[in-house]
């Protein structure tokens, strides 16, 4: 079964850091671009970041650029999101998502995890 | 960059057809074929319904169709069913090599 399972969410103070993980199974992880998408409580979806299948290229939304870092370990079939200098407005459910395309991104999010909640509050 | 513009809500009776629009600019929707649509039920992860403007992933019924004209993309659902109820989001690749979502549309099946 194709599956993505996020972990690492929780409560963190403003200015703090958190690292999210996304464990992939049931497909050849190393051949797909991967993404992080977030959703604040009661709000819409917001794209956060994208990473090349081999980790060589990354892109970020302006709202997180310079604070968040996406990475992956293809040997462990795991995607990461390191979040630093967290702000209240970063409070959201964070989803990892697999791109529809192999090797080339199509920016269509075909497989989604269940999400992990990040709350930034003092 | 602001979100793509979608109507806040649409509704229809079973069997009817509805259309949800998604308006952007020439730097996103109008400039690329990478427009997707997602359905989301409360408390659940989104589900990809349409990709690259008009393509359906395996398992998505052909009652759903997508199109694009200029800077506006559209999702049409014909033969509306109760299971179609939920929130719908469009997304598009942008000229900044990022992805932008619409604000979401709540579909109610009356």
């Amino acid at each position: 079964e194709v599956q993505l399972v996020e972990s690492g969410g929780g409560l963190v103070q403003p200015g703090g850091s958190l690292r999210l993980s996304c464990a992939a199974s049931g497909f050849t992880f190393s051949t797909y671009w991967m993404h992080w998408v977030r959703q604040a409580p009661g709000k819409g979806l917001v794209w956060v970041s994208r990473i090349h299948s081999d980790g060589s290229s990354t892109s970020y939304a302006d709202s997180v650029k310079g604070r968040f870092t996406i990475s992956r370990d293809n040997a462990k079939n795991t995607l990461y999101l390191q979040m630093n200098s967290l702000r209240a407005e970063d409070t959201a459910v964070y989803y990892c998502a697999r791109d529809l395309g192999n090797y080339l991104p199509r920016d269509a999010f075909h497989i989604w995890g269940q999400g992990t909640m990040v709350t930034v509050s003092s | 960059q602001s979100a793509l513009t979608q109507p806040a809500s649409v509704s229809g009776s079973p069997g009817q057809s509805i259309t949800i629009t998604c308006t952007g600019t020439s730097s996103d929707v109008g400039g690329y074929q990478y427009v997707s649509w997602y359905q989301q039920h409360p408390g659940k992860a989104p589900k990809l319904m349409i990709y690259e403007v008009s393509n359906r992933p395996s398992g998505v019924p052909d009652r759903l169709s997508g199109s694009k004209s200029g800077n506006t993309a559209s999702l049409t659902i014909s033969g509306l069913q109760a299971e179609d109820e939920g929130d719908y989001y469009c997304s598009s690749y942008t000229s900044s090599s990022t992805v932008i979502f619409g604000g979401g549309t709540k579909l109610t099946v009356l």
Side-chain angles (χ1 to χ4, degrees):
Chain A
E1 179 191 5
V2 175
Q3 196 171 13
L4 297 171
V5 179
E6 301 95 336
S7 61
L11 175 63
V12 61
Q13 292 188 338
S17 297
L18 211 55
R19 188 176 84 155
L20 306 183
S21 299
C22 170
S25 59
F27 65 97
T28 307
F29 179 71
S30 62
T31 65
Y32 286 91
W33 287 70
M34 296 293 296
H35 304 259
W36 287 99
V37 176
R38 70 184 182 184
Q39 187 171 33
K43 302 297 185 181
L45 301 171
V46 176
W47 178 82
V48 173
S49 183
R50 171 206 297 120
I51 187 167
H52 189 287
S53 55
D54 67 5
S56 62
S57 175
T58 59
S59 299
Y60 298 92
D62 286 345
S63 58
V64 307
K65 198 175 297 183
R67 300 188 299 123
F68 289 13
T69 301
I70 190 172
S71 63
R72 64 193 297 162
D73 185 335
N74 285 345
K76 295 183 177 180
N77 290 339
T78 302
L79 175 72
Y80 302 102
L81 185 67
Q82 177 66 43
M83 304 185 295
N84 298 331
S85 302
L86 282 162
R87 307 165 179 167
E89 54 265 37
D90 295 318
T91 294
V93 173
Y94 284 74
Y95 295 99
C96 64
R98 193 195 82 178
D99 200 287
L100 180 66
N102 268 105
Y103 299 107
L104 291 177
R106 299 168 85 167
D107 286 332
F109 313 125
H110 192 206
I111 306 297
W112 295 70
Q114 84 288 352
T116 186
M117 182 70 203
V118 172
T119 302
V120 184
S121 175
S122 54
Chain B
Q1 188 171 13
S2 300
L4 303 174
T5 301
Q6 296 181 232
S9 64
V10 299
S11 62
S13 300
Q16 288 186 331
S17 294
I18 61 96
T19 295
I20 300 172
T21 57
C22 170
T23 301
T25 69
S26 57
S27 296
D28 38 67
V29 174
Y32 306 94
Q33 292 297 103
Y34 294 113
V35 176
S36 301
W37 289 90
Y38 303 86
Q39 178 194 51
Q40 186 179 35
H41 290 130
K44 300 295 186 181
K47 176 185 177 182
L48 178 66
M49 307 302 279
I50 296 286
Y51 67 95
E52 291 169 5
V53 177
S54 59
N55 296 296
R56 286 184 307 277
S58 175
V60 173
D62 59 6
R63 301 184 294 104
L64 278 75
S65 62
S67 63
K68 189 182 79 164
S69 177
N71 296 336
T72 298
S74 299
L75 171 69
T76 297
I77 306 176
S78 58
L80 209 55
Q81 299 181 5
E83 68 197 46
D84 297 325
E85 197 164 272
D87 295 325
Y88 288 79
Y89 295 90
C90 62
S91 73
S92 174
Y93 176 80
T94 81
S95 59
S96 301
S97 191
T98 61
V99 178
I100 187 170
F101 279 96
T105 298
K106 182 178 182 62
L107 170 61
T108 300
V109 179
L110 303 170

